[in-house]
Amino acid sequence: MRMLPCQPYDTNSTAEIRVFEKFSQAPCLDPESVCFHSLNLPHHIKQRFGEADFVLLSAHGLFVFEVKGGSVSRDMEGLWHFTDKKGKDHVKRRSPFEQAQEALHSIKNDLKKQFGQDLIDRMCIGYGVIFPDCNLEVDTLEWDKTTLLNAKNFDFFDAWLNAFVHYWKSKDMRKTAAMLCDQDIDQIKTYLRPAFETLPALCAQLDTIHDRICKLTKDQFCLLDVAQANKKIVCAGGAGTGKTFMAAELCRRFAQSCKNVLFVCKSLWLERYLHARLRQQNVTISTIDQLELKAKQSCIQYFDVLIVDEGQDLFNFKDLAKIESFLKGGFINGRWAVFHDTNHQSGVFGCYEKAALDYLLSMNPVCIPLKKNCRNTTPILKKIQSLTQYDTGTDGTGFGPDVVIHRCDTRPEILLAKELNRLVTMEGVPLGDITILSPFSFKDSCAARLNRSSRSKIQVLDENLIQNFYSNSKISYARIQDFKGLENRCIILIDLDHHYQDKKQLPLLYVGMSRATASLSLILSDRDHE
């Protein structure tokens, strides 16, 4: 759902931030629906100045929500007690339901003065209360249970919201079938929060999104205890579900217990990137092609533990046999963990044989599914799923800028230059936070046709430069195939034509789009690459 503003206002209420994310991830009630956060009410009916935590405007009507975090209770005298995260008790006579109702009628009165009684007569209104952190179990005539969302049902936010809207529409039979038109919604939206409101620049959003990604990645680590306690593991998940983070952490844990660990992947770029960041004693990181050399350098013939990342690139009997020859006890009796993408990305990298995966599964490993996407913002996640139909996990990391898609029939480098200018000059994004991805080498891409000034700001990555990728002060460029397993905050995907959904380009689109953690731009050509 569209949020205004697109990021929550600075607030000490973590409850409001959680509710903001729920609204932002909720399906739109209709194409024009919009949700306002922290709407100021200068003409409050009871106070000199008031505020509505959330206001939902859609074709179905206008609805106000009051959010209370922490512990909530009501004593025998009717006083409400709100205990914050620091344990401080706040006492109020007005209930959250009264606060929401007063905010609703304050907005209604203002709209009546501005647009007249006719609009009010056609508009369904309602109010609700959300307690994300506690459960208020009270049997009372003072409010209907449908208007209250407790912590125990917070994960079922979408279903509750639909039931909530239906409840208020059914309260007034005259308005049950009434719907606001697009013009009604537009004029109310403009009046409640005018168009001149400034939105936060993308550069200001990047660190916030990065903090949420780190938190979500830590959430995945609870599954590592399961992986560490079992001898054979197959961990499956789509792009962005935290496979590489978990593989690296599992590697570190085994190494700290004095076991010799072999970490294998297909991509030389990923191997170099991990080698620069996973500097751990007892760990040998190698591509499949370097195994003999790396084992010889380590003076180890058989390793105690095997960890495979991007396993879908190695699911063929030739590669599995090679890997198994370095594992103490082999796949049958050895300790191993394989992390792989459920979408396989066939044809992008390596040779995939389903029978090879079936062979590993025949050994009855513990299978750990990764369902929660901890890399991509919700807009990016939804766009990947809508364009590719691939499973990239659920939830995403929350709100973020919309995905930008440009289409052109000639000179895509012009659109690329404009997009770079937007990100760097208008949004203030650091150059190093931007990566341009293409199926082609730089000299064959439209990026090579940028002017000299723009090209001077681009660094073409290779297997050596990737080791210092995150200290890069220039815009980076890479082939999609090489960048698999890696990520950056802002991704610009180029040189894919509008037939991207064919069998050859769809995996490239999937890999390229899923590299973006905060901002994603696509420049699609309406004719084949020349």
Side-chain angles (χ1 to χ4, degrees):
M1 185 180 300
R2 184 187 175 194
M3 302 296 295
L4 284 178
C6 63
Q7 277 194 301
Y9 282 115
D10 290 338
T11 174
N12 292 324
S13 172
T14 56
E16 284 191 30
I17 293 175
R18 292 175 63 201
V19 173
F20 186 103
E21 291 191 1
K22 286 293 185 183
F23 271 115
S24 69
Q25 295 169 8
C28 293
L29 297 176
D30 50 77
E32 297 300 318
S33 58
V34 61
C35 185
F36 302 90
H37 176 226
S38 189
L39 188 69
N40 292 328
L41 306 176
H43 305 128
H44 196 277
I45 61 174
K46 291 287 184 70
Q47 301 171 270
R48 293 183 62 188
F49 186 84
E51 178 193 43
D53 289 339
F54 291 91
V55 177
L56 173 59
L57 174 64
S58 80
H60 296 282
L62 186 142
F63 308 96
V64 171
F65 302 87
E66 180 72 17
V67 178
K68 295 295 182 185
S71 175
V72 181
S73 62
R74 187 176 66 168
D75 61 27
M76 296 298 294
E77 297 180 1
L79 295 177
W80 287 79
H81 296 261
F82 306 97
T83 305
D84 61 25
K85 57 187 176 183
K86 295 181 181 179
K88 185 176 180 180
D89 187 35
H90 303 270
V91 181
K92 292 187 178 182
R93 290 192 175 276
R94 293 162 60 241
S95 75
F97 295 91
E98 290 175 309
Q99 295 176 52
Q101 185 179 31
E102 290 167 4
L104 173 65
H105 286 286
S106 298
I107 296 172
K108 175 186 173 183
N109 290 346
D110 266 2
L111 294 178
K112 180 180 178 180
K113 292 177 183 177
Q114 182 71 15
F115 302 112
Q117 185 65 40
D118 176 65
L119 176 64
I120 303 302
D121 290 340
R122 293 185 288 108
M123 182 172 64
C124 177
I125 60 173
Y127 61 90
V129 173
I130 302 175
F131 297 149
D133 304 321
C134 69
N135 296 309
L136 184 67
E137 304 292 352
V138 178
D139 291 325
T140 178
L141 296 176
E142 295 181 57
W143 63 83
D144 189 282
K145 290 184 177 180
T146 312
T147 64
L148 172 63
L149 179 62
N150 277 321
K152 67 179 181 180
N153 294 319
F154 192 64
D155 288 339
F156 306 100
F157 184 90
D158 297 354
W160 172 80
L161 185 61
N162 285 324
F164 169 89
V165 172
H166 177 75
Y167 167 80
W168 282 108
K169 295 207 73 173
S170 64
K171 291 281 286 183
D172 189 341
M173 299 306 296
R174 296 172 302 170
K175 298 177 181 178
T176 299
M179 299 285 279
L180 295 177
C181 66
D182 292 353
Q183 183 179 354
D184 293 331
I185 296 174
D186 188 61
Q187 64 180 1
I188 295 173
K189 178 177 65 179
T190 303
Y191 177 70
L192 292 180
R193 188 163 278 163
F196 59 74
E197 177 184 43
T198 58
L199 299 178
L202 179 58
C203 63
Q205 301 180 50
L206 294 181
D207 288 336
T208 302
I209 293 171
H210 177 71
D211 290 342
R212 296 202 307 268
I213 290 172
C214 291
K215 179 179 183 298
L216 284 167
T217 301
K218 290 177 183 177
D219 290 343
Q220 308 285 52
F221 285 175
C222 62
L223 296 173
L224 284 166
D225 294 334
V226 176
Q228 196 171 5
N230 290 276
K231 200 171 183 180
K232 303 172 186 176
I233 297 293
V234 171
C235 186
T241 53
K243 299 184 298 298
T244 299
F245 285 101
M246 289 186 63
E249 175 63 13
L250 191 62
C251 180
R252 185 187 66 81
R253 290 187 182 189
F254 280 125
Q256 287 182 339
S257 61
C258 298
K259 294 186 182 297
N260 291 316
V261 182
L262 176 61
F263 191 114
V264 182
C265 59
K266 177 74 173 179
S267 167
L268 179 59
W269 284 41
L270 182 58
E271 183 269 338
R272 293 287 176 87
Y273 171 79
L274 290 171
H275 188 269
R277 279 153 185 78
L278 194 60
R279 297 185 180 278
Q280 182 80 39
Q281 192 174 3
N282 302 324
V283 173
T284 299
I285 304 174
S286 176
T287 65
I288 184 72
D289 297 325
Q290 297 174 318
L291 271 177
E292 292 89 347
L293 176 62
K294 289 294 184 76
K296 186 175 181 180
Q297 291 174 340
S298 301
C299 299
I300 300 174
Q301 185 176 2
Y302 300 110
F303 290 84
D304 301 317
V305 181
L306 167 69
I307 295 177
V308 177
D309 192 27
E310 298 288 337
Q312 70 279 357
D313 298 335
L314 302 170
F315 284 157
N316 60 81
F317 286 105
K318 179 181 178 181
D319 286 342
L320 288 185
K322 188 174 184 179
I323 294 170
E324 186 176 25
S325 67
F326 292 93
L327 174 61
K328 187 181 296 183
F331 284 126
I332 296 177
N333 298 312
R335 177 179 284 275
W336 51 269
V338 175
F339 294 80
H340 74 101
D341 191 326
T342 50
N343 300 298
H344 302 312
Q345 307 153 30
S346 301
V348 176
F349 214 102
C351 175
Y352 173 76
E353 298 172 6
K354 184 178 182 301
L357 173 58
D358 292 339
Y359 167 68
L360 292 178
L361 295 176
S362 70
M363 298 177 197
N364 298 314
V366 173
C367 294
I368 300 178
L370 293 179
K371 297 294 186 182
K372 191 170 189 177
N373 186 291
C374 57
R375 176 192 292 156
N376 311 119
T377 61
T378 303
I380 294 174
L381 179 64
K382 289 183 176 180
K383 185 61 69 174
I384 294 171
Q385 292 171 341
S386 68
L387 292 184
T388 68
Q389 305 302 309
Y390 282 0
D391 179 9
T392 48
T394 60
D395 295 337
T397 61
F399 47 85
D402 291 336
V403 176
V404 175
I405 300 180
H406 298 288
R407 296 179 183 273
C408 64
D409 53 4
T410 58
R411 304 199 65 187
E413 66 273 14
I414 296 177
L415 287 176
L416 175 59
K418 289 181 178 179
E419 189 62 16
L420 289 172
N421 181 67
R422 180 183 72 83
L423 291 172
V424 176
T425 305
M426 299 175 63
E427 299 284 5
V429 176
L431 298 183
D433 287 347
I434 303 171
T435 296
I436 302 171
L437 295 180
S438 166
F440 308 111
S441 63
F442 182 79
K443 65 183 180 64
D444 296 323
S445 75
C446 70
R449 300 195 292 273
L450 292 169
N451 62 40
R452 181 178 298 179
S453 176
S454 296
R455 294 199 308 273
S456 68
K457 298 174 184 176
I458 298 174
Q459 182 174 63
V460 180
L461 298 175
D462 58 28
E463 62 268 21
N464 294 315
L465 291 173
I466 199 66
Q467 297 182 73
N468 301 312
F469 172 57
Y470 286 117
S471 61
N472 186 25
S473 60
K474 289 188 173 185
I475 297 167
S476 51
Y477 179 94
R479 293 196 314 155
I480 298 171
Q481 302 92 315
D482 296 326
F483 207 69
K484 199 160 77 72
L486 305 173
E487 63 187 42
N488 203 356
R489 293 180 172 184
C490 302
I491 294 292
I492 303 177
L493 196 56
I494 62 173
D495 295 327
L496 287 172
D497 63 43
H498 70 293
H499 298 299
Y500 55 79
Q501 289 179 314
D502 64 26
K503 290 183 179 180
K504 181 179 179 181
Q505 292 202 57
L506 191 59
L508 290 173
L509 182 73
Y510 165 66
V511 173
M513 293 179 70
S514 58
R515 301 308 97 195
T517 65
S519 170
L520 174 63
S521 307
L522 284 75
I523 299 176
L524 302 175
S525 173
D526 283 342
R527 64 178 184 177
D528 293 336
H529 181 81
E530 296 181 357

